[in-house]
Amino acid sequence: MTRRALIAAAVALLAADAGAQKPGPTPSPTRTATPAQAAPQAAAEWPQFRGNHSLTGVTAAALPATLKVRWTFEAGDAVESSAAIAGGTAYVGSQKGELLALDLATGKPRWRYKTVEGIGESSPAVSTALGLVFVGDLSGTVHGVRVANGEVAWTFKTKGEVKSSPVVVGDKVVIGSYDGSLYGLDAKAGTLAWSVHTENYVHGTPAIVDGIAYFAGCDEVFRVIRVSDGKDMGNLPIGAYTGASVAVANGRAYFGTFENEVLAVDLAAKKVAWRYQPKERQFPFYSSAAIADGKVILGGRDKVVHAIDAATGKAVWTFSTKARVESSAAVAGARVYIGSNDGRFYVLDLKTGKSLWEYESGSPMTASPAIAGGVVVIGTSDGTIICFGA
């Protein structure tokens, strides 16, 4: 497929979800970027999408070698939202229009919070310090909800669907919208602190390291924004639409694009360090990358999980599923955990990509796994939330 055809397909796909907005990419000139340091040590909890602010998808939590289903919960509609886990509670959104707080040990609901419209791919983020959980919905509303009882603390309305997941940094909640903006909100009050407007959808979740947010959107630009005040710290035209979130580790940002490529951006040099492109199948990358053991691991719409050398951009291993992979991989210890649209949940060896364990759910898994407290939580397209553990 040609580059122009790939871009057209990507825009058509996003427009089908978001309505009649028209893309109008206008790359900005490159300015000085602040290099990120190595990703911080992952916490045992999983309080947000990808587990930590740098979005590496890595947890320090231990998992048993053999998994079994501990409990399931029927949400009543598709679950594309990935769980956040904190304080013995799994927070998950559903297309039914509910944010669920489920007891991690039993799967029983502690409370249900009704959103304006369904929750798509926006995953909750928990601040135990503030006692709030945040999530966006398809009406474009961002919600701040009290973890104690599920009562609303505040709402903030954007002008487009919210599929980006919130990231909580100090007193700010940072989140993107299909109205083309990245927002910095006051976490306690839900008021606008700043916004950065791009020329197209902001689908992915920003990675935040040392007070700097890194993200790429559908305007073909990789952006660097200071979280304290929303100041533009430099951007880089990349020539590709991006729906995935950015993962940051060791001074580089890694992400897949709709150009059938995975990019590594050197943050200090402000340039693309390498581009990885599978030659066998020309499909967009939609899922976000995990960074572990010197590898970039992510699924593709080519039905393949790819492991790429983080230093060189060369393929290390691939693992084939029977349908496209839109779930984002998570890593615990020496294992990779990921769902597929073929209805299977896979556990792969991090070093070799060999399948160690599989579970047939019977429904596509586009949500990404959350790992904490010795369990894995993931939702399915038929609305089943599954908890795997010992």
Side-chain angles (χ1 to χ4, degrees):
M1 186 179 288
T2 66
R3 178 181 185 275
R4 180 171 295 179
L6 274 167
I7 292 176
V11 174
L13 176 64
L14 291 170
D17 288 336
Q21 285 193 62
K22 293 183 180 180
T26 307
S28 303
T30 302
R31 288 194 282 268
T32 302
T34 302
Q37 302 303 313
Q41 175 68 31
E45 292 189 326
W46 193 276
Q48 66 156 69
F49 181 59
R50 312 303 294 131
N52 53 53
H53 287 172
S54 51
L55 307 192
T56 56
V58 177
T59 179
L63 286 174
T66 302
L67 296 176
K68 294 184 178 180
V69 175
R70 290 188 60 174
W71 53 258
T72 62
F73 180 87
E74 298 301 327
D77 207 339
V79 175
E80 298 177 339
S81 173
S82 302
I85 301 174
T89 303
Y91 301 90
V92 193
S94 79
Q95 288 272 16
K96 186 179 179 180
E98 286 185 327
L99 174 62
L100 301 162
L102 305 178
D103 184 281
L104 191 61
T106 65
K108 297 185 181 302
R110 299 183 188 274
W111 49 255
R112 301 170 185 248
Y113 170 79
K114 183 67 177 175
T115 53
V116 180
E117 289 186 13
I119 298 172
E121 295 161 47
S122 183
S123 300
V126 183
S127 171
T128 53
L130 297 174
L132 296 173
V133 55
F134 310 94
V135 75
D137 71 21
L138 297 178
S139 76
T141 305
V142 183
H143 304 259
V145 182
R146 303 187 195 283
V147 298
N149 53 23
E151 294 180 355
V152 63
W154 54 258
T155 60
F156 178 86
K157 181 68 174 174
T158 77
K159 297 179 181 178
E161 295 180 346
V162 175
K163 296 187 177 182
S164 173
S165 301
V167 181
V168 190
V169 183
D171 62 351
K172 298 288 192 309
V173 174
V174 183
I175 191 168
S177 170
Y178 264 42
D179 65 11
S181 296
L182 183 75
Y183 291 95
L185 307 178
D186 181 282
K188 292 182 180 179
T191 53
L192 179 66
W194 52 260
S195 64
V196 175
H197 186 69
T198 74
E199 297 298 326
N200 212 326
Y201 312 131
V202 179
H203 186 109
T205 300
I208 299 178
V209 179
D210 295 336
I212 303 295
Y214 302 91
F215 73 102
C218 294
D219 62 348
E220 303 189 355
V221 178
F222 174 80
R223 296 179 185 272
V224 182
I225 304 296
R226 191 164 64 193
V227 172
S228 61
D229 57 7
K231 182 180 179 181
D232 182 353
M233 303 298 289
N235 52 54
L236 176 69
I238 55 174
Y241 293 84
T242 304
S245 300
V246 169
V248 173
N250 302 314
R252 285 184 174 180
Y254 302 92
F255 54 97
T257 76
F258 276 79
E259 285 284 356
N260 185 45
E261 289 184 325
V262 180
L263 273 62
V265 173
D266 186 307
L267 299 175
K270 304 179 295 295
K271 68 178 183 180
V272 175
W274 52 254
R275 297 175 183 262
Y276 166 85
Q277 186 174 56
K279 296 180 180 179
E280 286 137 8
R281 296 171 178 159
Q282 303 291 305
F283 284 94
F285 283 97
Y286 200 74
S287 66
S288 303
I291 314 297
D293 190 35
K295 301 179 182 67
V296 180
I297 304 119
L298 77 170
R301 285 184 167 173
D302 58 357
K303 308 179 183 181
V304 175
V305 181
H306 300 260
I308 307 160
D309 187 288
T312 65
K314 303 297 183 183
V316 178
W317 53 256
T318 59
F319 175 81
S320 295
T321 77
K322 296 182 179 180
R324 62 190 187 185
V325 184
E326 296 175 344
S327 173
S328 299
V331 176
R335 293 180 174 87
V336 177
Y337 300 81
I338 193 167
S340 170
N341 283 22
D342 66 10
R344 291 177 175 84
F345 182 66
Y346 294 94
V347 180
L348 309 177
D349 183 87
L350 176 59
K351 184 177 180 179
T352 65
K354 179 182 177 181
S355 177
L356 302 176
W357 184 83
E358 298 178 10
Y359 174 83
E360 174 62 67
S361 75
S363 179
M365 291 180 165
T366 60
S368 304
I371 303 173
V375 300
V376 185
V377 177
I378 189 170
T380 71
S381 293
D382 70 359
T384 303
I385 300 169
I386 307 171
C387 177
F388 300 99

